[in-house]
Amino acid sequence: MKVLFITLDGLGDRPVPEFDGRTPLEVAHTPHMDSLAAAGINGLLTAVAPGIPAGTPTAHALLFGYHLNELPGRAMFHSVARGIVPPPEDVICLARFANVQPTPQGVRLLHRVLHGPEEDFASLAEAIRKRSVDGVEMELAYTGHGEGVLFLRGTVSDEITDCDPIGMDLPVIKAEPMERASDPEAASGTAEALNQYLRWAHTVLREHPVNARREREGHPSANFLLAKWTARRTPMQPFQERFGFKAVSITSEEVLRGVMHELGVETRIEEKEATEEDMVMRLSMARGFLAGEYDFVHVHTKQPDLIAHYAEPKRKMAEIEALDRGLGYLVKEILPDRELVVALSSDHSTPSVVAAQPAPGDIHDQHSGEPVPLMIVGRNALRDDVSTFSERVAARGGLGLVRGADFMHILMSQAERTNVIGWRPTARESLHRPTQVEPFEL
């Protein structure tokens, strides 16, 4: 049997006061999601563990059957998605131009996302492209939209803290070695070299003619480089080798394309502006892939997460309803296939109400640790008595609470792809039933 796995990014939420304590998913009109829930078995899904938030790349890698200790830092996924594949000896981090202000309490982040002509940012990046500090060579590769990949070469470690505070409630963070760094000396040297580079870059950027012009024109100066998510590339077992599925992911999310690159999963990028039409298009593509050589198709949409970060629950509810209308294609055109397992869930919860509500037009950066609803539909799924799709009702479903480490095993079992523990059909231990073995000869 084949598998169709759909993730509605950031779908889960918290109780919203203006919805009388219900979530956007609970108040949304979702007849197609409800019909899917009624046709299968339901539960709650947490990529890591209850209460622990995860970002999109980490959550998806865990749901695809990998473990935290196998994953590189997030910068690696962005880098390879942008066509930059670092050698294993280099450490990289993601770098973004920002606007900061020195204060007695530290360097205050005023603007994380800056806008302007690409040639301006490219000129700024060239001015701080290379620097050597105590034997650590640093080189900035500008990749567009005010961001770049910063290479650190020499005796370096990826086990250092981020400098980007992510939220606006903390000052810019000094790079420090992690307490449990495997090579404390290398980690300490890397952190200090990065700090010196960032101080030097601030001086250069502050005096750059591009920033002088930006200030004259009333735009924030791009006077700092935020660095985060240090990473070193390590080989990861291909998804097909681990689980036996030939897979493709339909996603327009950059960091997720990077995850799939490292897992050896093909990606396809297509998108439409209207949410309903976009979902129909993705599902139509999925149907075509399933009819061909692929036996695991992943469909991903970022829309619920994008809207939730603006802290507008009503917009998130409307977005969920548009996605549900698009899922009508799944119900009518794909679901009748009895040789298909369909799983629909999310990677994490993104709250549309937070303690420090952002100003209109601004965003918050939080994910939350609540589990997300999960449904699985297929001829092997034991139907439970759940008939609606939401966080609260899914908790009563027959799947119970599913962790990311168990998710792929459940899908494999539903698709009749599992290898019985203890049986050794191949020299390499495998979780999936092999399609080829070494034949015995007389």
Side-chain angles (χ1 to χ4, degrees), residues 187-225:
S188 180
T190 303
E192 181 54 31
L194 178 59
N195 288 327
Q196 290 193 41
Y197 168 79
L198 295 179
R199 293 188 192 102
W200 168 79
H202 172 63
T203 300
V204 173
L205 294 172
R206 186 180 57 198
E207 300 171 356
H208 199 283
V210 166
N211 278 324
R213 175 170 52 77
R214 285 179 65 89
E215 290 177 348
R216 288 196 305 270
E217 295 173 350
H219 302 301
S221 169
N223 62 4
F224 197 78
L225 196 68

Short mmCIF file of all heavy atoms in Angstrom, two decimals, residues 187-225:
data_model
loop_
_atom_site.label_atom_id
_atom_site.label_comp_id
_atom_site.label_asym_id
_atom_site.label_seq_id
_atom_site.Cartn_x
_atom_site.Cartn_y
_atom_site.Cartn_z
N ALA A 187 35.12 24.91 20.83
CA ALA A 187 33.87 25.65 20.98
C ALA A 187 34.14 27.05 21.53
O ALA A 187 33.56 28.04 21.06
CB ALA A 187 32.91 24.89 21.88
N SER A 188 35.02 27.15 22.51
CA SER A 188 35.35 28.45 23.09
C SER A 188 36.03 29.35 22.06
O SER A 188 35.70 30.54 21.94
CB SER A 188 36.27 28.25 24.30
OG SER A 188 36.61 29.48 24.88
N GLY A 189 36.97 28.79 21.29
CA GLY A 189 37.65 29.57 20.26
C GLY A 189 36.71 30.02 19.16
O GLY A 189 36.82 31.14 18.66
N THR A 190 35.77 29.15 18.79
CA THR A 190 34.80 29.49 17.75
C THR A 190 33.90 30.62 18.20
O THR A 190 33.63 31.58 17.46
CB THR A 190 33.95 28.26 17.38
OG1 THR A 190 34.80 27.19 16.98
CG2 THR A 190 32.99 28.59 16.25
N ALA A 191 33.40 30.53 19.44
CA ALA A 191 32.50 31.55 19.98
C ALA A 191 33.21 32.90 20.04
O ALA A 191 32.65 33.94 19.63
CB ALA A 191 32.00 31.15 21.36
N GLU A 192 34.44 32.92 20.53
CA GLU A 192 35.17 34.19 20.65
C GLU A 192 35.48 34.78 19.28
O GLU A 192 35.38 36.00 19.08
CB GLU A 192 36.46 33.98 21.45
CG GLU A 192 37.27 35.26 21.64
CD GLU A 192 36.46 36.40 22.27
OE1 GLU A 192 35.54 36.14 23.08
OE2 GLU A 192 36.77 37.57 21.93
N ALA A 193 35.86 33.94 18.32
CA ALA A 193 36.13 34.43 16.97
C ALA A 193 34.87 35.02 16.36
O ALA A 193 34.92 36.08 15.70
CB ALA A 193 36.67 33.29 16.11
N LEU A 194 33.73 34.36 16.55
CA LEU A 194 32.47 34.88 16.01
C LEU A 194 32.12 36.23 16.65
O LEU A 194 31.70 37.16 15.96
CB LEU A 194 31.35 33.87 16.23
CG LEU A 194 29.95 34.30 15.74
CD1 LEU A 194 29.97 34.60 14.24
CD2 LEU A 194 28.92 33.21 16.05
N ASN A 195 32.28 36.34 17.96
CA ASN A 195 31.99 37.61 18.63
C ASN A 195 32.85 38.74 18.07
O ASN A 195 32.36 39.85 17.81
CB ASN A 195 32.22 37.48 20.14
CG ASN A 195 31.16 36.63 20.82
OD1 ASN A 195 30.00 36.63 20.42
ND2 ASN A 195 31.55 35.91 21.87
N GLN A 196 34.14 38.46 17.88
CA GLN A 196 35.03 39.49 17.35
C GLN A 196 34.65 39.86 15.92
O GLN A 196 34.70 41.04 15.54
CB GLN A 196 36.49 39.02 17.42
CG GLN A 196 37.05 38.93 18.83
CD GLN A 196 38.55 38.78 18.83
OE1 GLN A 196 39.26 39.44 18.04
NE2 GLN A 196 39.08 37.92 19.70
N TYR A 197 34.28 38.87 15.14
CA TYR A 197 33.85 39.15 13.76
C TYR A 197 32.61 40.05 13.76
O TYR A 197 32.53 41.01 12.99
CB TYR A 197 33.58 37.85 13.02
CG TYR A 197 32.86 38.05 11.70
CD1 TYR A 197 33.56 38.45 10.56
CD2 TYR A 197 31.49 37.85 11.58
CE1 TYR A 197 32.91 38.66 9.35
CE2 TYR A 197 30.82 38.05 10.39
CZ TYR A 197 31.54 38.45 9.27
OH TYR A 197 30.89 38.67 8.08
N LEU A 198 31.64 39.73 14.61
CA LEU A 198 30.40 40.51 14.63
C LEU A 198 30.63 41.94 15.10
O LEU A 198 29.98 42.88 14.62
CB LEU A 198 29.36 39.80 15.51
CG LEU A 198 28.88 38.44 15.02
CD1 LEU A 198 27.88 37.83 16.00
CD2 LEU A 198 28.27 38.52 13.62
N ARG A 199 31.55 42.13 16.06
CA ARG A 199 31.89 43.49 16.50
C ARG A 199 32.54 44.27 15.35
O ARG A 199 32.22 45.45 15.10
CB ARG A 199 32.83 43.44 17.70
CG ARG A 199 32.21 42.89 18.97
CD ARG A 199 33.14 43.05 20.16
NE ARG A 199 32.64 42.27 21.30
CZ ARG A 199 33.13 41.10 21.68
NH1 ARG A 199 34.17 40.56 21.01
NH2 ARG A 199 32.62 40.46 22.72
N TRP A 200 33.48 43.61 14.67
CA TRP A 200 34.12 44.25 13.52
C TRP A 200 33.11 44.57 12.43
O TRP A 200 33.12 45.68 11.86
CB TRP A 200 35.22 43.32 12.99
CG TRP A 200 35.77 43.74 11.65
CD1 TRP A 200 36.67 44.72 11.40
CD2 TRP A 200 35.43 43.15 10.38
NE1 TRP A 200 36.92 44.80 10.05
CE2 TRP A 200 36.17 43.86 9.41
CE3 TRP A 200 34.60 42.12 9.99
CZ2 TRP A 200 36.09 43.54 8.05
CZ3 TRP A 200 34.51 41.81 8.63
CH2 TRP A 200 35.25 42.51 7.67
N ALA A 201 32.22 43.64 12.14
CA ALA A 201 31.21 43.85 11.11
C ALA A 201 30.31 45.02 11.47
O ALA A 201 29.94 45.83 10.60
CB ALA A 201 30.38 42.58 10.93
N HIS A 202 29.96 45.16 12.74
CA HIS A 202 29.12 46.29 13.17
C HIS A 202 29.81 47.62 12.88
O HIS A 202 29.19 48.57 12.38
CB HIS A 202 28.80 46.16 14.67
CG HIS A 202 28.11 47.37 15.23
ND1 HIS A 202 26.85 47.77 14.81
CD2 HIS A 202 28.50 48.26 16.19
CE1 HIS A 202 26.49 48.86 15.49
NE2 HIS A 202 27.47 49.17 16.32
N THR A 203 31.11 47.70 13.17
CA THR A 203 31.86 48.93 12.91
C THR A 203 31.87 49.26 11.42
O THR A 203 31.65 50.40 11.01
CB THR A 203 33.30 48.79 13.42
OG1 THR A 203 33.28 48.54 14.83
CG2 THR A 203 34.10 50.05 13.16
N VAL A 204 32.13 48.25 10.59
CA VAL A 204 32.17 48.45 9.14
C VAL A 204 30.80 48.86 8.62
O VAL A 204 30.66 49.81 7.83
CB VAL A 204 32.67 47.19 8.43
CG1 VAL A 204 32.56 47.33 6.91
CG2 VAL A 204 34.10 46.86 8.84
N LEU A 205 29.77 48.15 9.05
CA LEU A 205 28.42 48.42 8.55
C LEU A 205 27.93 49.79 9.00
O LEU A 205 27.25 50.51 8.23
CB LEU A 205 27.45 47.34 9.05
CG LEU A 205 27.68 45.93 8.51
CD1 LEU A 205 26.78 44.93 9.22
CD2 LEU A 205 27.42 45.88 7.00
N ARG A 206 28.23 50.18 10.21
CA ARG A 206 27.77 51.46 10.75
C ARG A 206 28.28 52.63 9.92
O ARG A 206 27.61 53.65 9.76
CB ARG A 206 28.25 51.58 12.20
CG ARG A 206 27.74 52.78 12.96
CD ARG A 206 28.30 52.76 14.36
NE ARG A 206 29.76 52.71 14.33
CZ ARG A 206 30.52 52.35 15.36
NH1 ARG A 206 29.97 51.96 16.49
NH2 ARG A 206 31.84 52.36 15.25
N GLU A 207 29.48 52.47 9.35
CA GLU A 207 30.12 53.56 8.60
C GLU A 207 29.96 53.41 7.09
O GLU A 207 30.49 54.22 6.33
CB GLU A 207 31.60 53.62 8.97
CG GLU A 207 31.84 53.86 10.45
CD GLU A 207 33.30 53.69 10.85
OE1 GLU A 207 34.10 53.30 9.96
OE2 GLU A 207 33.64 53.96 12.02
N HIS A 208 29.23 52.40 6.65
CA HIS A 208 29.12 52.14 5.22
C HIS A 208 28.23 53.18 4.52
O HIS A 208 27.18 53.56 5.06
CB HIS A 208 28.56 50.74 4.99
CG HIS A 208 28.82 50.19 3.62
ND1 HIS A 208 28.10 50.59 2.52
CD2 HIS A 208 29.74 49.30 3.16
CE1 HIS A 208 28.53 49.94 1.45
NE2 HIS A 208 29.53 49.16 1.81
N PRO A 209 28.60 53.62 3.32
CA PRO A 209 27.79 54.62 2.60
C PRO A 209 26.34 54.16 2.35
O PRO A 209 25.42 54.99 2.34
CB PRO A 209 28.54 54.79 1.27
CG PRO A 209 29.94 54.38 1.58
CD PRO A 209 29.86 53.32 2.62
N VAL A 210 26.12 52.88 2.15
CA VAL A 210 24.76 52.39 1.94
C VAL A 210 23.89 52.69 3.15
O VAL A 210 22.74 53.14 3.03
CB VAL A 210 24.76 50.87 1.64
CG1 VAL A 210 23.34 50.29 1.77
CG2 VAL A 210 25.30 50.61 0.24
N ASN A 211 24.42 52.47 4.34
CA ASN A 211 23.65 52.74 5.55
C ASN A 211 23.47 54.23 5.80
O ASN A 211 22.43 54.65 6.33
CB ASN A 211 24.30 52.06 6.75
CG ASN A 211 23.91 50.59 6.85
OD1 ASN A 211 22.79 50.22 6.54
ND2 ASN A 211 24.87 49.75 7.25
N ALA A 212 24.47 55.03 5.43
CA ALA A 212 24.31 56.48 5.54
C ALA A 212 23.14 56.94 4.67
O ALA A 212 22.31 57.77 5.08
CB ALA A 212 25.61 57.18 5.14
N ARG A 213 23.05 56.38 3.47
CA ARG A 213 21.92 56.73 2.58
C ARG A 213 20.60 56.22 3.13
O ARG A 213 19.59 56.92 3.08
CB ARG A 213 22.18 56.18 1.18
CG ARG A 213 21.01 56.39 0.22
CD ARG A 213 21.37 56.04 -1.21
NE ARG A 213 21.94 54.73 -1.34
CZ ARG A 213 21.22 53.60 -1.30
NH1 ARG A 213 19.91 53.65 -1.12
NH2 ARG A 213 21.82 52.43 -1.46
N ARG A 214 20.58 54.99 3.65
CA ARG A 214 19.35 54.45 4.21
C ARG A 214 18.83 55.34 5.33
O ARG A 214 17.62 55.61 5.41
CB ARG A 214 19.59 53.03 4.74
CG ARG A 214 19.71 51.95 3.68
CD ARG A 214 19.98 50.58 4.30
NE ARG A 214 18.85 50.13 5.12
CZ ARG A 214 17.82 49.42 4.65
NH1 ARG A 214 17.76 49.10 3.37
NH2 ARG A 214 16.87 49.04 5.46
N GLU A 215 19.72 55.83 6.17
CA GLU A 215 19.30 56.70 7.27
C GLU A 215 18.77 58.03 6.75
O GLU A 215 17.77 58.55 7.28
CB GLU A 215 20.47 56.91 8.24
CG GLU A 215 20.82 55.65 9.02
CD GLU A 215 22.02 55.85 9.91
OE1 GLU A 215 22.72 56.88 9.77
OE2 GLU A 215 22.28 54.96 10.75
N ARG A 216 19.42 58.58 5.73
CA ARG A 216 18.94 59.84 5.15
C ARG A 216 17.53 59.67 4.57
O ARG A 216 16.71 60.59 4.62
CB ARG A 216 19.89 60.33 4.05
CG ARG A 216 21.21 60.86 4.54
CD ARG A 216 21.91 61.67 3.45
NE ARG A 216 22.09 60.92 2.21
CZ ARG A 216 23.16 60.18 1.95
NH1 ARG A 216 24.13 60.08 2.85
NH2 ARG A 216 23.27 59.55 0.80
N GLU A 217 17.28 58.48 4.03
CA GLU A 217 15.97 58.22 3.41
C GLU A 217 14.93 57.74 4.42
O GLU A 217 13.79 57.44 4.05
CB GLU A 217 16.14 57.17 2.31
CG GLU A 217 17.00 57.64 1.15
CD GLU A 217 17.31 56.54 0.15
OE1 GLU A 217 17.00 55.35 0.46
OE2 GLU A 217 17.84 56.84 -0.93
N GLY A 218 15.32 57.67 5.69
CA GLY A 218 14.36 57.28 6.73
C GLY A 218 14.20 55.80 6.94
O GLY A 218 13.23 55.36 7.57
N HIS A 219 15.16 55.01 6.44
CA HIS A 219 15.10 53.55 6.61
C HIS A 219 16.06 53.13 7.72
O HIS A 219 17.11 53.75 7.92
CB HIS A 219 15.49 52.85 5.31
CG HIS A 219 14.63 53.20 4.15
ND1 HIS A 219 13.27 52.99 4.14
CD2 HIS A 219 14.94 53.78 2.95
CE1 HIS A 219 12.77 53.40 2.98
NE2 HIS A 219 13.76 53.88 2.25
N PRO A 220 15.74 52.04 8.43
CA PRO A 220 16.66 51.56 9.46
C PRO A 220 17.99 51.13 8.87
O PRO A 220 18.05 50.52 7.80
CB PRO A 220 15.93 50.35 10.07
CG PRO A 220 14.50 50.50 9.67
CD PRO A 220 14.51 51.21 8.36
N SER A 221 19.05 51.48 9.55
CA SER A 221 20.38 51.10 9.11
C SER A 221 20.59 49.60 9.30
O SER A 221 20.22 49.02 10.33
CB SER A 221 21.42 51.87 9.93
OG SER A 221 22.71 51.37 9.73
N ALA A 222 21.19 48.95 8.32
CA ALA A 222 21.55 47.53 8.44
C ALA A 222 22.91 47.45 9.10
O ALA A 222 23.93 47.18 8.46
CB ALA A 222 21.55 46.87 7.06
N ASN A 223 22.94 47.69 10.41
CA ASN A 223 24.20 47.91 11.11
C ASN A 223 24.69 46.72 11.92
O ASN A 223 25.63 46.85 12.71
CB ASN A 223 24.10 49.15 12.01
CG ASN A 223 23.05 48.99 13.10
OD1 ASN A 223 22.44 47.92 13.25
ND2 ASN A 223 22.81 50.05 13.85
N PHE A 224 24.07 45.56 11.74
CA PHE A 224 24.50 44.38 12.50
C PHE A 224 24.18 43.13 11.71
O PHE A 224 23.32 43.14 10.82
CB PHE A 224 23.80 44.33 13.87
CG PHE A 224 24.47 43.42 14.85
CD1 PHE A 224 25.62 43.82 15.51
CD2 PHE A 224 23.98 42.15 15.11
CE1 PHE A 224 26.26 43.00 16.42
CE2 PHE A 224 24.60 41.30 16.01
CZ PHE A 224 25.75 41.73 16.67
N LEU A 225 24.89 42.07 12.05
CA LEU A 225 24.66 40.77 11.42
C LEU A 225 24.29 39.78 12.52
O LEU A 225 25.12 39.46 13.37
CB LEU A 225 25.92 40.32 10.69
CG LEU A 225 25.76 39.18 9.67
CD1 LEU A 225 24.95 39.66 8.47
CD2 LEU A 225 27.13 38.68 9.21
#
